[in-house]
Amino acid sequence: MQIDHIQNTIVGGVEQRGISGGQRKRVNISLELAAQPTLLFLDEPTSGLDATSSLAVALSLKTLCGLGMTSIMVIHQPRYSLFTLFDDVLLLGKGGRTVYLGDSRGAKRYFEHLGFAMLGNENPADWFMDVISGEVKNAGIARFETAMLFDMWEDNKSFAASLDHAERGPSLRRTLTCIERNQMDRAVLTASLKEEFAKIDHNLAFEIDEDELRLLLTRLAGAEPGETVVRELMDRMAGPDAETVSESQFLSYLNGLSEEVAGDAEVEGASPTWVRRFRSIRRHIEETRHSRAATDLSSDSEPDSTSQGSGDKTDDSDDNENETLHSRGQNLSRKTPGFLMQMKILMTRRLVQWWRMTERMVFIVALIFAATFFGVLDRYIVVQELWDANPVLYLHTALALLMGIFCLHIFGEAQPLFWRERARGMNVPAFYLSRATINMVDLVIQTFFFTAIYYVVRQPCVPYCTWALPFFLVSLVASAWGALVSLAVQPVKGAFFVTLLIFITCGLLGQPSMLVVMLQGGQVELIVSSLSLTRWSVGMNFYTSVTMLNPNPVRLKDMAVLHLEKDVYLKRDWWGIGIWETGLCAMLAMSTGIRVIAFVLLVYRNRDKNV
């Protein structure tokens, strides 16, 4: 597809510029080809591409057709050499009715048979469109109308069939002629060689010296040639004792290697050994550098007896290559990798995406600001007690809100890509686990920033690890909520639903004054305990503070608050394993349950889009 030079480049979109529109179209085609389809539909695959790039794309698709893949495409304004690559073409008139269906090379003769005449220098493909649009007059019909083409097709199907048989010949299948294939190969080859030449020609002089030629040959062949090899090639490209080789001389020499003597400036003594060596370079480029074979240009090859013998050997090689292509086409199948292999691939891809994600810094800055603000507020302005649960409730709610919104991207933005890849055999558990696992890195980093800054400012007088662990559990549960919301609602509405959810489950249901009423047993307590993460996380921090600080307030207001909070958080040990341990198990169970629901949604929701 001629896009290897933009590998590891961001594709981009509306907000961020990336590769060009033509390159983006070729990337889209390559994504589909990576799945090794047996049937491929393309809608205007060459729109936005120049003539050479369009030909390169069509030629790649034509080559894959030789391996057993069928390509069906809609194409506008093709050059005629590209138009004749198609085995069959369907030309439609107004209303979607058939005007011509048959071999691409027979279309011109068909319309001439109907009485239309084409000017000598006109592109036949454009001329067909003019005929269908009524822009071309018919010599045999004075009052010609485009609607007549439909009846003409019905009356002349037999003639079109005879053209189809005549154009296809004995093989009954459209194949590229040697001249057509050489012309298209040369166009693609020239573009590739110019690209490589420009990478070496840094001063834009359109000529290179001996050292630069050696570097260029190394890039093309994958092995560094010796001095004698480079010197001989310079003599052959630019003439004896030449100090530089121009771009035109370089391109002319390599493009001429399809013949027995490559148009050398030093005609006598032309060695077929170098012809074979540069043919390997040419094949190396034409195959889009899939195989970086190390062609040892500095080693001596076994000489041939005659130049003609070299040509025969190359022809035999081409025949064997064609036979290999056809034999591979007989068994064109793709083996889907297993869970572990897909997990490795998806983890690697997700790591690259994670590294390129710039929005992370916005959330880190927001977390740093929130931690600093709450720390200064609790220590210097409002002066909250170190054991009080209310400041911790606000901290947990703020952290849950930020982490829930941040984690909306885990599956929300990737759903269209997921639908397409799932239809091609992607393992859904591997996809889910890879994204959820890499997301844990962000949870740890961002929660650490939040807790560390607040801990330094506030100084809660308890060990950091014991104090910070409930915050990490809050991030774990909030990220699960974010993932679930991203799969349940449209991405544009995700932030609204996460904000509403965190406000209710953390801010309202986590208030000690409300919990003392709702935690009286029965279904209400079960619902609150299942939904409110702060019902558990705040209790863990409160239990740690009370146990280590042993508060003994003097003011009646503080005594009432302490009594209320102890009644809420310290009197209910559900499983008899301890207050802190119960909260730990409850939050891990809550995170696991939400993630299981999210996975079920990922598997079963929007199955109609699995196409």
Side-chain angles (χ1 to χ4, degrees):
M1 288 296 170
Q2 304 293 314
I3 54 174
D4 57 314
H5 62 287
I6 59 170
Q7 59 181 338
N8 299 324
T9 303
I10 295 177
V11 174
V14 177
E15 298 181 354
Q16 181 180 8
R17 179 173 175 81
I19 60 178
S20 66
Q23 292 169 340
R24 187 179 294 111
K25 187 174 290 288
R26 281 180 279 174
V27 169
N28 289 334
I29 297 174
S30 301
L31 285 173
E32 301 300 330
L33 294 178
Q36 301 181 16
T38 55
L39 180 61
L40 184 64
F41 291 89
L42 303 101
D43 186 16
E44 301 185 37
T46 60
S47 297
L49 304 180
D50 57 77
T52 302
S53 300
S54 299
L55 185 61
V57 171
L59 185 59
S60 300
L61 295 173
K62 180 68 175 181
T63 303
L64 290 173
C65 289
L67 297 175
M69 185 188 77
T70 300
S71 296
I72 302 174
M73 68 180 70
V74 177
I75 191 168
H76 291 168
Q77 293 182 312
R79 56 193 287 184
Y80 192 58
S81 57
L82 190 157
F83 181 83
T84 55
L85 282 177
F86 295 103
D87 295 316
D88 296 283
V89 294
L90 171 62
L91 303 179
L92 300 176
K94 186 176 181 180
R97 298 181 61 183
T98 302
V99 173
Y100 175 79
L101 173 60
D103 189 272
S104 58
R105 293 177 297 178
K108 183 174 178 292
R109 292 178 58 188
Y110 171 77
F111 286 108
E112 289 175 343
H113 172 73
L114 298 182
F116 299 97
M118 186 184 75
L119 298 179
N121 297 326
E122 194 165 2
N123 178 14
D126 292 334
W127 180 67
F128 300 151
M129 297 298 100
D130 292 340
V131 172
I132 296 174
S133 301
E135 300 296 329
V136 179
K137 295 182 179 180
N138 190 297
I141 305 176
R143 296 183 179 181
F144 171 76
E145 296 181 0
T146 56
M148 297 179 182
L149 291 173
F150 309 138
D151 296 330
M152 290 179 178
W153 167 249
E154 297 295 335
D155 297 336
N156 292 274
K157 282 184 178 180
S158 58
F159 177 77
S162 65
L163 288 177
D164 192 29
H165 178 76
E167 294 292 346
R168 296 179 190 270
S171 65
L172 297 180
R173 188 166 183 82
R174 170 76 165 95
T175 57
L176 293 175
T177 66
C178 294
I179 296 178
E180 290 173 330
R181 187 165 187 172
N182 287 338
Q183 289 176 344
M184 288 180 287
D185 287 352
R186 183 166 299 181
V188 176
L189 175 63
T190 300
S192 299
L193 292 177
K194 282 185 176 181
E195 178 186 324
E196 296 295 336
F197 191 95
K199 293 179 181 178
I200 303 298
D201 184 22
H202 300 294
N203 55 4
L204 301 178
F206 297 99
E207 60 181 17
I208 56 177
D209 57 22
E210 187 172 335
D211 293 335
E212 291 173 328
L213 179 60
R214 179 185 296 109
L215 180 60
L216 179 57
L217 294 174
T218 302
R219 290 178 61 89
L220 295 176
E224 184 177 358
E227 294 183 2
T228 56
V229 173
V230 178
R231 183 65 259 172
E232 181 176 347
L233 290 175
M234 288 195 68
D235 292 341
R236 292 165 61 81
M237 291 179 185
D241 301 325
E243 296 183 357
T244 60
V245 176
S246 66
E247 182 186 56
S248 59
Q249 291 170 337
F250 177 77
L251 296 176
S252 176
Y253 182 81
L254 263 70
N255 275 319
L257 289 175
S258 59
E259 303 175 2
E260 291 303 322
V261 179
D264 299 343
E266 179 190 343
V267 177
E268 293 190 359
S271 170
T273 301
W274 300 119
V275 174
R276 290 202 312 277
R277 287 174 181 171
F278 270 97
R279 278 175 178 162
S280 67
I281 295 176
R282 177 175 180 160
R283 188 177 304 112
H284 173 78
I285 299 175
E286 288 172 340
E287 292 176 352
T288 322
R289 305 173 189 86
H290 283 320
S291 172
R292 289 286 181 185
T295 306
D296 188 4
L297 297 179
S298 60
S299 63
D300 291 331
S301 300
E302 182 179 351
D304 294 335
S305 58
T306 63
S307 297
Q308 183 65 34
S310 174
D312 295 341
K313 184 176 181 179
T314 302
D315 294 340
D316 293 341
S317 176
D318 292 340
D319 293 340
N320 292 335
E321 182 180 358
N322 291 334
E323 290 177 3
T324 302
L325 291 177
H326 288 295
S327 63
R328 289 170 58 188
Q330 300 299 326
N331 187 23
L332 186 66
S333 59
R334 180 172 66 95
K335 183 179 180 181
T336 304
F339 170 79
L340 294 179
M341 180 58 67
Q342 290 199 34
M343 185 70 178
K344 177 182 178 182
I345 296 172
L346 293 171
M347 285 283 289
T348 303
R349 184 179 73 177
R350 187 56 182 164
L351 276 173
V352 174
Q353 295 172 342
W354 178 87
W355 181 258
R356 291 174 174 174
M357 185 179 178
T358 58
E359 294 84 355
R360 181 184 304 105
M361 292 305 301
V362 177
F363 282 88
I364 291 179
V365 171
L367 287 166
I368 292 175
F369 173 78
T372 305
F373 174 79
F374 281 113
V376 172
L377 182 69
D378 295 340
R379 183 173 182 179
Y380 298 106
I381 300 178
V382 181
V383 190
Q384 299 279 3
E385 296 290 343
L386 294 178
W387 49 263
D388 194 357
N390 285 292
V392 179
L393 173 64
Y394 303 146
L395 281 175
H396 288 191
T397 302
L399 179 62
L401 180 61
L402 290 172
M403 296 307 298
I405 294 176
F406 175 79
C407 292
L408 287 172
H409 76 277
I410 300 178
F411 299 108
E413 299 176 355
Q415 288 191 69
L417 177 63
F418 167 74
W419 296 331
R420 180 172 62 186
E421 291 184 341
R422 177 173 62 178
R424 287 155 178 79
M426 185 185 66
N427 188 280
V428 179
F431 175 82
Y432 181 87
L433 290 176
S434 64
R435 301 187 75 88
T437 302
I438 299 302
N439 182 63
M440 295 297 177
V441 179
D442 278 320
L443 298 185
V444 173
I445 294 175
Q446 297 182 27
T447 306
F448 173 77
F449 273 104
F450 185 82
T451 55
I453 292 176
Y454 182 86
Y455 187 86
V456 170
V457 176
R458 174 61 170 157
Q459 298 182 3
C461 299
V462 295
Y464 172 77
C465 293
T466 305
W467 176 84
L469 183 58
F471 288 84
F472 285 93
L473 293 174
V474 168
S475 296
L476 187 67
V477 178
S479 67
W481 278 119
L484 178 61
V485 171
S486 69
L487 292 170
V489 303
Q490 298 177 0
V492 294
K493 301 177 181 178
F496 169 77
F497 279 96
V498 166
T499 303
L500 183 63
L501 181 67
I502 297 300
F503 175 75
I504 294 175
T505 60
C506 297
L508 292 182
L509 298 183
Q511 288 284 348
S513 58
M514 296 188 66
L515 288 175
V516 73
V517 177
M518 292 184 291
L519 299 183
Q520 299 295 332
Q523 295 182 353
V524 175
E525 180 175 356
L526 179 62
I527 294 174
V528 172
S529 300
S530 301
L531 295 179
S532 177
L533 60 96
T534 52
R535 179 258 186 272
W536 302 104
S537 62
V538 175
M540 295 174 67
N541 277 116
F542 179 76
Y543 175 81
T544 302
S545 299
V546 170
T547 303
M548 294 188 175
L549 300 179
N550 192 20
N552 189 17
V554 178
R555 294 186 304 175
L556 293 177
K557 179 181 178 181
D558 294 337
M559 294 175 60
V561 171
L562 180 61
H563 177 76
L564 173 67
E565 293 176 351
K566 282 185 176 181
D567 186 56
V568 172
Y569 297 117
L570 303 184
K571 289 187 177 181
R572 290 170 180 79
D573 181 7
W574 276 17
W575 301 310
I577 57 177
I579 300 296
W580 201 89
E581 291 78 5
T582 300
L584 173 65
C585 295
M587 295 193 71
L588 290 176
M590 187 182 301
S591 173
T592 303
I594 297 172
R595 293 179 189 277
V596 169
I597 297 174
F599 176 75
V600 172
L601 285 180
L602 182 67
V603 173
Y604 293 104
R605 193 170 184 268
N606 292 316
R607 292 183 65 89
D608 57 321
K609 296 183 180 180
N610 191 12
V611 295

